[in-house]
Amino acid sequence: GKGATDAESFYKMLKEAEKDMNAWGVITNNYDIVYVDWENSGEFLQSNSNTLQKIITKINQQKAYAGITAPNIIYGHSMGGVISRHALRTMENRGLQHNTSHYISHDAPHLGANVPLGALYALHGALSLLKNKPILEWSVNLFYDTGTLKDLVLGIAHCRAAKQLLVNYVGLNGNIDNSEHTRWQNELAALGFPQGDGSTEFRMLCMTNGSYEPNPNDPTFFKADFSASSDITGVLPGLS
């Protein structure tokens, strides 16, 4: 359900950065942090955008009640950066004040997530391998503390948000279907980026992790071509 990171891991990251740049002290001494996680991170992006809009409205109401005039700073990482963009711009189009001075987009896939097809087909192959093999599936699931491998793959590669974000979505039938991605990108392009609501000076900032250095990874990390079989899969029920 929830995202890959949570408030605990976020605070841990800030505390680790404290050693080099005093990040924890600077932020906690000057800002109130509101960490937003999704009850279902795989839901349609518009749905979680709507949730964020409600949270921003609620925060602004509480600030007004407490007499706080400082504007909001919205920081969105990865999918959160895209959702934040959608939420802020939608509020502007609806005439709703988000009272935001800075929108920070960190490694957000505004044009879509480019996941290698090989990785997506590897997940598809894992599901296909386990299909109608209850004993094999049971054995694989012993390595997971909660849930199953099937649930994990479905949650990562086949949720509604994945269909919208992936530049190439590999369906359960093994075919590429980019219809949801195309619809989402058309909507996002028409929406544009937030411009500010006029309540305060507004700036957009972008951060991305990357390197200009040659890729140090061994080429075999990106390519695998092999097959494997065992007679036991044809003998024991549930394996073949």
Side-chain angles (χ1 to χ4, degrees), residues 28-45:
T28 56
N29 290 332
N30 293 278
Y31 301 95
D32 294 315
I33 300 176
V34 178
Y35 187 94
V36 179
D37 200 357
W38 320 112
E39 188 62 33
N40 182 1
S41 59
E43 188 51 86
F44 282 120
L45 300 175

Side-chain angles (χ1 to χ4, degrees), residues 176-213:
I176 295 177
D177 179 4
N178 294 329
S179 55
E180 286 290 346
H181 173 70
T182 299
R183 278 192 288 269
W184 166 251
Q185 287 300 142
N186 289 340
E187 176 181 338
L188 198 61
L191 198 61
F193 284 88
Q195 304 296 311
D197 60 13
S199 63
T200 184
E201 184 180 353
F202 180 77
R203 294 183 65 189
M204 291 192 295
L205 302 174
C206 176
M207 296 190 299
T208 183
N209 292 331
S211 173
Y212 289 104
E213 297 298 323

Side-chain angles (χ1 to χ4, degrees), residues 92-131:
E92 292 171 0
N93 287 345
R94 293 176 177 172
L96 302 174
Q97 285 199 338
H98 48 64
N99 191 223
T100 298
S101 63
H102 292 76
Y103 157 57
I104 305 171
S105 172
H106 182 192
D107 276 343
H110 293 285
L111 296 178
N114 285 286
V115 177
L117 278 175
L120 296 176
Y121 274 111
L123 294 176
H124 173 73
L127 286 185
S128 300
L129 177 66
L130 298 179
K131 188 176 182 180

Side-chain angles (χ1 to χ4, degrees), residues 1-209:
K2 298 190 181 222
T5 59
D6 53 23
E8 183 178 355
S9 62
F10 177 73
Y11 292 140
K12 181 180 179 181
M13 176 191 70
L14 289 181
K15 289 180 179 179
E16 290 177 348
E18 172 80 7
K19 305 171 186 176
D20 300 322
M21 61 188 77
N22 193 30
W24 176 257
V26 170
I27 293 177
T28 56
N29 290 332
N30 293 278
Y31 301 95
D32 294 315
I33 300 176
V34 178
Y35 187 94
V36 179
D37 200 357
W38 320 112
E39 188 62 33
N40 182 1
S41 59
E43 188 51 86
F44 282 120
L45 300 175
Q46 294 92 331
S47 177
N48 283 328
S49 167
N50 186 57
T51 298
L52 181 57
Q53 293 172 52
K54 292 180 179 179
I55 291 172
I56 292 173
T57 299
K58 181 67 174 179
I59 290 173
N60 288 336
Q61 290 172 346
Q62 293 181 341
K63 285 166 53 183
Y65 180 78
I68 297 174
T69 58
N72 303 314
I73 296 176
I74 305 293
Y75 164 86
H77 177 250
S78 191
M79 183 178 72
V82 180
I83 292 175
S84 299
R85 166 189 171 181
H86 188 278
L88 292 174
R89 187 57 179 158
T90 299
M91 293 183 74
E92 292 171 0
N93 287 345
R94 293 176 177 172
L96 302 174
Q97 285 199 338
H98 48 64
N99 191 223
T100 298
S101 63
H102 292 76
Y103 157 57
I104 305 171
S105 172
H106 182 192
D107 276 343
H110 293 285
L111 296 178
N114 285 286
V115 177
L117 278 175
L120 296 176
Y121 274 111
L123 294 176
H124 173 73
L127 286 185
S128 300
L129 177 66
L130 298 179
K131 188 176 182 180
N132 299 322
K133 298 181 180 67
I135 296 178
L136 181 60
E137 183 174 3
W138 173 80
S139 302
V140 170
N141 291 335
L142 291 177
F143 294 94
Y144 293 86
D145 295 330
T146 59
T148 66
L149 175 62
K150 180 179 179 181
D151 293 337
L152 178 65
V153 173
L154 291 177
I156 293 176
H158 297 284
C159 63
R160 295 183 176 98
K163 294 177 182 179
Q164 291 180 296
L165 282 177
L166 286 173
V167 173
N168 287 301
Y169 166 69
V170 177
L172 292 173
N173 59 4
N175 296 327
I176 295 177
D177 179 4
N178 294 329
S179 55
E180 286 290 346
H181 173 70
T182 299
R183 278 192 288 269
W184 166 251
Q185 287 300 142
N186 289 340
E187 176 181 338
L188 198 61
L191 198 61
F193 284 88
Q195 304 296 311
D197 60 13
S199 63
T200 184
E201 184 180 353
F202 180 77
R203 294 183 65 189
M204 291 192 295
L205 302 174
C206 176
M207 296 190 299
T208 183
N209 292 331

